[in-house]
């Protein structure tokens, strides 16, 4: 009889693992069943704000492979609208509920792939019976929000709670749809993924876009009228709202794993090895936003929920399940986003991360331009580097600027990944032409400034 692989979760990590396993093993050798509680498989959650805004015209453009494609082209039995509610490791069995039909389904397994992703943080005040409150975690979430925004009459006032990537991107999306938008952040400024001095540039850009930003403000309740949200209550007064977006971050979706006895690490994510095997659990694998992984700079376990990692980790797990050999080398926290035309990139450690990891370091900020100063369209770019003292090893980098800014973080990410020093970086042979960079690229300008800051006084 063929072995059986059960995949719990049908998005990036789960279906990447299933696909890689299938490429290496036929149906006669390996039967694959994937359970997904939503309606969609293998979609871009990161693209949801751009569909909400209208920049992406069709929801289906966000779907890389639908369930039918997996069934017909990969011979994978994908069961959408089925939620796994229990895992019995002793009996090697999963129990799932058919969310549309209500029936209970039991399926045995030889190998288990756990890829349930993350769940949004939802404090007590966010629980309300009033309609018009949305998370933006899944494509089903995005579909519900889009339907609300397309209602007649449409909502006019939006409040976004939380100033991380989702909050910032959704604030922009709602402005582009013509709503009056207020972003509420309990910290002193949004974009805590970068240091405060760089986040201030993002704050200024958002205000220039027309977003009202309320920082240092704590939400305490949501009020409703006639079954619909009507205002967000804060410790600094109420804010009228016809729609509320919760962008308060996420945590690993591990309730099912914990109940089954899978080990969790200090971040709350599932503990896995470099091959994505769950520690101490033969035949059980996990990948994506539900696991914790190693930060290559700090050496600490971290939970970094990004689609890039989920796809890579799922691929690694699937290769190994299929009989090959692959490892996941860890993360350095590279990420990019934008606010209107302002681009933001970051990689490695922030100042507070470096302090927490026990590094002695210097920080420098270099101001430059994205193109030669005389070339049309040249605009400011700010690069921040954090380097270890006295070695000069790059520990982290952040960039805020206009066109050509965000993807420059990739140069710094490669330098960071390969443990380069800022002195090494000053000699990098980077591309130059006036439409793309000054003769001294902003990355090189920042590296030179960091070398100067490290020099003995």
């Amino acid at each position: 009889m063929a072995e059986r692989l059960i995949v719990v979760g049908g998005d990036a990590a789960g279906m990447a693992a299933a696909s890689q396993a299938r490429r290496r093993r036929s149906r006669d050798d390996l039967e694959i069943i994937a359970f997904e509680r939503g309606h969609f498989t293998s979609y871009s959650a990161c693209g949801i704000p751009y569909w909400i805004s209208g920049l992406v015209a069709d929801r289906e453009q966000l779907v890389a492979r639908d369930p039918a494609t997996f069934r017909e082209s990969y011979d994978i039995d994908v069961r959408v609208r089925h939620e796994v509610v229990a895992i019995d490791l002793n009996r090697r069995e999963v129990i799932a509920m058919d969310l549309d039909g209500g029936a209970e389904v039991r399926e045995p397994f030889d190998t288990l792939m756990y890829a349930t992703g993350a769940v949004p943080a939802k404090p007590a005040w966010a629980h309300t019976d009033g309609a018009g409150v949305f998370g933006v975690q899944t494509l089903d979430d995005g579909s519900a929000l889009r339907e609300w925004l397309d209602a007649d009459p449409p909502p006019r006032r939006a409040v976004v709670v939380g100033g991380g990537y989702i909050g910032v991107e959704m604030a922009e999306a709602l402005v582009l749809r013509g709503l009056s938008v207020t972003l509420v952040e309990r910290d002193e400024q949004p974009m805590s993924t970068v240091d405060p001095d760089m986040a201030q540039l993002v704050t200024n850009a958002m205000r220039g876009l027309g977003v009202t930003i309320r920082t240092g403000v704590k939400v305490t309740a949501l009020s409703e009228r006639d079954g619909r949200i009507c205002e967000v209550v804060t410790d600094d007064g109420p804010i009228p709202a016809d729609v509320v977006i919760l962008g308060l971050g996420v945590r690993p979706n591990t309730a099912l794993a914990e109940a089954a006895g899978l080990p969790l690490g200090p971040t709350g994510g599932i503990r896995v090895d470099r091959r994505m095997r769950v520690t101490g659990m033969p035949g059980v694998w996990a990948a994506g936003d539900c696991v914790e992984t190693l930060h290559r700079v700090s050496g600490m376990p971290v939970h970094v929920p990004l689609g890039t990692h989920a796809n890579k980790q799922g691929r690694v797990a699937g290769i190994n399940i299929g009989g090959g050999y692959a490892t996941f080398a860890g993360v350095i926290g590279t990420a990019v986003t934008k606010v209107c035309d302002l681009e933001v990139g970051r990689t490695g450690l922030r100042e507070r991360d470096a302090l927490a990891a026990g590094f002695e370091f210097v920080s420098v900020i270099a101001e430059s331009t994205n193109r030669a100063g005389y070339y049309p369209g040249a605009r400011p770019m700010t690069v921040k580097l954090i380097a270890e003292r006295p070695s000069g090893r790059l520990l982290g980098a952040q960039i805020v600027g206009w066109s050509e800014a965000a993807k420059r973080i990739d140069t710094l990410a490669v330098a960071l990944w390969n443990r380069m020093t800022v002195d090494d970086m000053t000699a990098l042979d980077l591309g130059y032409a006036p439409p793309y960079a000054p003769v001294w690229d902003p990355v090189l300008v920042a590296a030179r400034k960091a070398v100067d800051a490290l020099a003995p006084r």
Side-chain angles (χ1 to χ4, degrees), residues 11-241:
D11 197 12
M15 298 318 294
S19 300
Q20 287 296 324
R22 172 58 74 230
R23 288 188 175 101
R24 287 159 177 79
R25 299 177 66 178
S26 70
R27 181 180 177 84
D28 292 337
D29 186 43
L30 181 68
E31 180 185 2
I32 304 176
I33 301 174
F35 290 104
E36 166 55 44
R37 66 182 178 183
H39 291 87
F40 307 95
T41 56
S42 293
Y43 58 86
S44 172
C46 299
I48 293 172
Y50 309 110
W51 173 52
I52 296 297
S53 72
L55 291 173
V56 175
D58 188 348
R59 180 183 66 189
E60 301 309 312
Q61 293 176 262
L62 302 181
V63 180
R65 293 186 183 91
D66 61 19
T69 300
F70 282 112
R71 295 186 193 107
E72 295 163 8
S73 301
Y74 291 83
D75 210 357
I76 296 171
D77 181 1
V78 178
R79 303 183 189 179
V80 295
R81 301 292 293 156
H82 280 71
E83 181 176 8
V84 174
V85 295
I87 298 170
D88 189 329
L89 292 177
N90 293 323
R91 298 183 64 176
R92 310 295 281 187
E93 180 182 76
V94 301
I95 303 170
M97 292 299 298
D98 180 343
L99 298 179
D100 293 328
E104 181 182 278
V105 178
R106 291 176 177 264
E107 293 287 358
F109 64 84
D110 300 290
T111 302
L112 180 71
M113 178 69 212
Y114 191 97
T116 55
V119 291
K122 195 171 183 180
W125 57 258
H127 294 271
T128 176
D129 294 328
V133 180
F134 300 90
V136 194
Q137 182 70 15
T138 67
L139 196 49
D140 285 293
D141 295 336
S143 298
L145 173 58
R146 182 68 183 257
E147 183 177 347
W148 185 264
L149 296 174
D150 289 341
D152 186 17
R156 297 179 295 106
R157 304 164 300 181
V159 175
V160 178
V161 185
Y165 291 117
I166 287 295
V168 167
E169 291 168 1
M170 285 304 305
E172 177 186 357
L174 295 170
V175 167
L176 292 177
R177 285 192 64 114
L179 278 76
S180 171
V181 180
T182 299
L183 186 145
V184 180
E185 170 58 56
R186 68 178 179 182
D187 291 336
E188 291 308 308
Q189 57 196 37
M191 286 298 292
S192 62
T193 52
V194 297
D195 287 322
D197 45 11
M198 300 294 278
Q200 185 60 52
L201 301 174
V202 182
T203 302
N204 295 342
M206 292 184 70
R207 287 187 170 128
L209 186 63
V211 178
T212 299
I213 298 180
R214 302 273 297 271
T215 57
V217 173
K218 182 180 179 181
V219 175
T220 58
L222 300 177
S223 295
E224 61 178 275
R225 182 184 303 118
D226 299 326
R228 299 168 65 93
I229 194 72
C230 65
E231 67 180 13
V232 175
V233 182
T234 78
D235 58 2
D236 192 40
I239 306 171

